[in-house]
Every structure is written in C-alpha cells, then in structure tokens.
Amino acid sequence: MSISLSSLILLPIWISMAQIQQGGPDEKEKTTALKDLLSRIDLDELMKKDEPPLDFPDTLEGFEYAFNEKGQLRHIKTGEPFVFNYREDLHRWNQKRYEALGEIITKYVYELLEKDCNLKKISIPVDATESEPKSFIFMSEDALTNPQKLMVLIHGSGVVRAGQWARRLIINEDLDSGTQIPFIKRAMDEGYGVIVLNPNENYIEVEKPKIPVQSSSDSSDEPAEKRERKDKVSKETKKRRDFYEKYRNPQREKEMMQLYIRENGSPEEHAVYVWDHFIAQSAAEKVFFVAHSYGGLAFVELMIQREADVKSKVTAVALTDSVHNVWHQEAGKTIREWMRENCCNWVSSSEPLDTSVESMLPDCPRVSAGYFFILLVVSFAVKMLFSLMELVPLVDCFCYFHFWYQSGTITAKTSVKELTPCVFLEF
C-alpha cells in the first residue's frame, strides 16, 4: 500500500491530537491550536507535492490507446477499456491525464468529420483577418445548395466540440454513442445537406504576458545609497516569493488569458452568426434542427433574435434534455406557440419511452426518453426524425411512438397511417 507525502506530513499532527484529546481540560488549548494549524493546511497543494509531472502524450498512440473496428477505445497492448485511475491517490493528476486524452479525441473526431463524413471545415468569422482569433464549423458540400432539406446539429455545453454529443461516451462506450457521426452519415445518405455547429469554441487561450516590474531606481530624487538598499530588498523579497511559490505549487501551470472570437463569444452568439452567414443563405426549402442540452437554449435565443426568418425556414426541431427556459429568455407568445407546433423535447426520465412528461413551461411537448442518461437515446430521436419529419406534423408523430427491446433491436411502431407500420432501428 502506497502512502503519500501529505499523509506522512499530517500523521504526526493527527496522533498528537488523539493523545491531547485523552488528556484533561488543560490540554484543550493545545487541541485548539492544532486544529487551527490543520485548517491552514491546503490539502490540494500538499497533494501536488506527490504528483508526477503534468506532461502527457499528444497522440492516441502515445497514450497506448486506439479505436477498434467497433469504434471502442481500447488499450493497444491489453485490449482493456480506458482506466481513469491510472495512478492511485492522485485524482488531480488522473483528471489532467483524462483531459489531455480528451483534447486528442476532439482532434480525432474533427479528422473523422472531414475524412469519413466528407465535411468541409469552414473558418469563422468569414471575414477574419490573419491575426485575429478564429473558430470553425463543418458543412457538407451541398449544405448551401441543396434545394430540399438541411439538417443542423447543435451539441450541449462543456468540453464537447463540433461532432460530439459527449466525451464521456466516446471514451467509455464508443464513437457511435458519443459522436454525431452516425446521424451525419444517415442524413447525407437520405439527401440532407448538413451543418455542424461548434458553439463551445468561443475563444483561444494564449499565455499571459509577464508584466515587467519597474525598478525603484528610476526615482532620481532619492540618494543613490537609499535606492541601492531598496533594490536589494526588492530582489531578496522576489527571491523568497519565487522560492515559496515553487514549494507551494511545484506543478503550477502557465497563466493563460482568453481572446474571444468576434461575434462568436458565446453559444448564443455562435448560433445567430451561423444562421446569418450560412443557414439563412442556404437554398433548402426545409431546415431541421437537432439540439442537445444548452444547444436548445441557443436555438430559442436564435428564435428570439430572428423569429420571422426561423419560422419561414425551419420545419421541425428535435431537442434532447434541452435546458432552455422561455420565461427567463423572455420568449414571446408567438414563439411559444410556434414551438408547441414544431418542437419536441425528449427528457431524461424513468417513465417509459414516449410517455408525456409534465412541464411548467408553456412551450414544446416534453416526452420521456426512457432513461436518466439522455445521450444514450439521442440517436432514437434523430433516427425517427429522418423517417417522420416530412410525412406528418412533428407533434402528431411524437404522440404515437411505442418502443420496446426485442433481442438487441428496438422496434418502433406508429399508428399514423401514412407511415410504414414498423421500422427497425439498430440498438
């Protein structure tokens, strides 16, 4: 069993406290003093003393992981799934390692969007100068020219980027569960143009410049001897401070600053920008949105700012665990009425899939996803949209879904006469 340095440091204090507590009233002051000492110890900082360097590989191969033919992340040598607790008792280090792997996976998904899905990476702002911060979205070749239909995908908040639903699912399950790739391919196979938004890419990070400390020797009014003494004290103070900082935080990371991307500094801004410069300019007669979590809020904000345009172009919207709030976002009555007719929100629930879920908000219908973890069933919502969106009004469709498991396959039936009586969806 390994014992960390922080444990060794604290052990004598804990023993002393136990011994003192067994003594009489005279020992209470000592107990109080020791408790005060413990309260001043930053355990997070002590933990850093035990950490290996925060230097991680920049490739999957460097981590000794790869995606197999099923899209599962597996160790190259052992074939085992990803292990978070690579080093015991070093949670912060393990978390940093996980985040470093996540950044590599983000780039890997970007590559899949271009190579496997044949999407184009489009830089934004469209008129950006060479030196200013930039973001990007992905589009199919026919996204702006397809005269019939366009699918727009918006993920949720957090660390996910374009093409992802959930990093956790990509790492712990597979690419099909955690990325938008299956939906993109299905959409393109069925004749949709596709635009994939990137609402969390709002800024770039650069190292914070060090502010030079002006020497006190610039004060020409002071005698030379006094200036020399002040400079000497200043240098010694800085030396002690640097030494203390190195001891206090040996794994100190670089101080970074954020440079926000023009007109794309938030998910809401990003959605409006992509609408104005791409979606609104597309030739598609019908536009369909799929928005997860905070993506739903971004869509509602888009409606508030571009209500008439959205109503004239968007046919239907599938939301999954959307966190929008028509009251807080001050969506007007006409927007709420449109959402009731053209949107549906699948929400995490223990109720059977498709069961109506009560809502305090007067907007779109809420339907149970049949799970507490919504991302496992996002695909069901999207797959049903492909076959149902263009045949009957969206809200009518959601009222008739019945799903059940049947030997590894989910069967979907509908009582809407215009539709095929039974559609089999791969689970």
Side-chain angles (χ1 to χ4, degrees):
M1 182 180 66
S2 61
I3 301 177
S4 65
L5 177 61
S6 57
S7 299
L8 291 173
I9 293 172
L10 296 175
L11 186 59
I13 301 175
W14 290 328
I15 293 172
S16 298
M17 285 188 64
Q19 291 172 342
I20 290 171
Q21 286 173 351
Q22 292 174 4
D26 296 338
E27 305 294 341
K28 285 185 177 179
E29 288 186 13
K30 293 181 180 179
T31 303
T32 303
L34 284 171
K35 285 182 177 178
D36 181 64
L37 175 61
L38 279 173
S39 69
R40 295 170 184 271
I41 295 174
D42 190 334
L43 293 179
D44 286 339
E45 297 298 340
L46 278 175
M47 289 294 288
K48 293 175 184 177
K49 307 296 185 296
D50 292 340
E51 283 183 346
L54 297 176
D55 296 327
F56 302 105
D58 56 6
T59 63
L60 280 177
E61 293 76 14
F63 272 95
E64 296 188 330
Y65 279 98
F67 287 100
N68 61 21
E69 65 280 358
K70 295 180 180 179
Q72 301 166 326
L73 187 67
R74 293 292 182 263
H75 195 276
I76 294 172
K77 296 178 181 177
T78 66
E80 294 295 318
F82 176 75
V83 176
F84 178 85
N85 291 316
Y86 188 75
R87 291 177 181 265
E88 292 184 9
D89 301 326
L90 291 176
H91 178 80
R92 179 178 178 273
W93 187 89
N94 288 327
Q95 179 64 34
K96 292 294 183 182
R97 173 176 174 266
Y98 177 83
E99 291 169 5
L101 176 64
E103 292 303 310
I104 295 171
I105 286 175
T106 291
K107 294 176 184 177
Y108 182 80
V109 172
Y110 288 159
E111 292 176 5
L112 292 179
L113 293 179
E114 292 187 276
K115 295 178 181 177
D116 284 16
C117 300
N118 296 317
L119 299 185
K120 297 187 298 180
K121 186 177 180 180
I122 307 297
S123 180
I124 55 175
V126 293
D127 59 346
T129 63
E130 184 141 351
S131 59
E132 75 172 294
K134 305 176 191 64
S135 180
F136 50 87
I137 60 173
F138 291 90
M139 299 195 314
S140 62
E141 289 284 350
D142 66 338
L144 302 183
T145 59
N146 188 318
Q148 297 178 327
K149 47 194 179 182
L150 173 67
M151 178 73 74
V152 181
L153 301 179
I154 314 179
H155 58 64
S157 60
V159 296
V160 291
R161 295 295 186 267
Q164 301 179 44
W165 293 127
R167 177 183 289 181
R168 179 155 59 110
L169 281 181
I170 297 172
I171 293 175
N172 298 324
E173 298 295 330
D174 54 45
L175 289 167
D176 281 357
S177 299
T179 73
Q180 300 170 350
I181 291 172
F183 317 137
I184 294 168
K185 290 182 176 179
R186 174 76 180 268
M188 295 177 72
D189 287 344
E190 300 204 8
Y192 288 79
V194 174
I195 295 181
V196 179
L197 270 63
N198 201 10
N200 293 336
E201 193 77 14
N202 307 127
Y203 55 82
I204 63 170
E205 286 192 329
V206 297
E207 189 171 354
K208 202 170 186 178
K210 294 181 180 179
I211 301 175
V213 180
Q214 286 189 345
S215 173
S216 58
S217 59
D218 293 340
S219 304
S220 55
D221 296 337
E222 292 182 346
E225 186 178 345
K226 186 177 180 180
R227 287 201 305 268
E228 287 177 6
R229 282 201 306 270
K230 288 180 69 175
D231 288 346
K232 184 178 180 181
V233 170
S234 177
K235 288 177 182 178
E236 289 178 352
T237 302
K238 183 179 183 302
K239 185 177 180 181
R240 285 196 301 271
R241 185 172 61 244
D242 290 346
F243 176 81
Y244 171 73
E245 180 61 26
K246 184 177 181 182
Y247 169 78
R248 188 190 71 83
N249 192 358
Q251 293 288 355
R252 182 179 181 182
E253 298 163 57
K254 296 177 181 178
E255 289 190 51
M256 308 297 286
M257 61 184 294
Q258 298 171 348
L259 301 179
Y260 280 85
I261 298 164
R262 176 165 52 89
E263 298 182 82
N264 287 269
S266 69
E268 297 91 328
E269 279 190 8
H270 177 76
V272 172
Y273 185 88
V274 175
W275 175 272
D276 289 344
H277 292 82
F278 299 95
I279 303 171
Q281 309 300 324
S282 68
E285 181 183 355
K286 298 177 181 179
V287 177
F288 306 104
F289 273 79
V290 179
H292 173 63
S293 185
Y294 202 88
L297 185 149
F299 174 80
V300 172
E301 188 63 29
L302 170 63
M303 276 216 72
I304 292 170
Q305 296 195 37
R306 302 289 187 271
E307 180 177 353
D309 293 342
V310 170
K311 285 181 177 179
S312 67
K313 205 164 181 68
V314 177
T315 300
V317 182
L319 305 172
T320 56
D321 253 358
S322 174
V323 297
H324 72 273
N325 187 306
V326 292
W327 293 137
H328 292 165
Q329 294 181 258
E330 301 182 353
K333 180 180 178 182
T334 54
I335 290 177
R336 299 197 300 271
E337 290 174 347
W338 186 90
M339 289 181 67
R340 278 196 291 271
E341 295 298 321
N342 297 275
C343 303
C344 185
N345 187 13
W346 275 278
V347 297
S348 300
S349 171
S350 59
E351 295 295 320
L353 191 60
D354 185 43
T355 303
S356 178
V357 177
E358 187 176 357
S359 173
M360 299 293 290
L361 299 176
D363 50 23
C364 59
R366 286 161 50 95
V367 179
S368 171
Y371 291 92
F372 282 112
F373 190 31
I374 187 71
L375 285 171
L376 290 175
V377 293
V378 168
S379 59
F380 306 154
V382 177
K383 289 176 181 179
M384 292 313 299
L385 283 177
F386 286 129
S387 57
L388 300 179
M389 272 182 172
E390 300 172 70
L391 299 177
V392 292
L394 182 67
V395 173
D396 293 341
C397 294
F398 293 125
C399 296
Y400 296 105
F401 287 168
H402 303 286
F403 291 81
W404 64 88
Y405 288 100
Q406 189 175 40
S407 62
T409 301
I410 287 186
T411 309
K413 289 186 177 181
T414 175
S415 58
V416 181
K417 294 180 180 179
E418 291 91 339
L419 302 181
T420 306
C422 188
V423 183
F424 291 97
L425 305 178
E426 291 297 321
F427 177 62

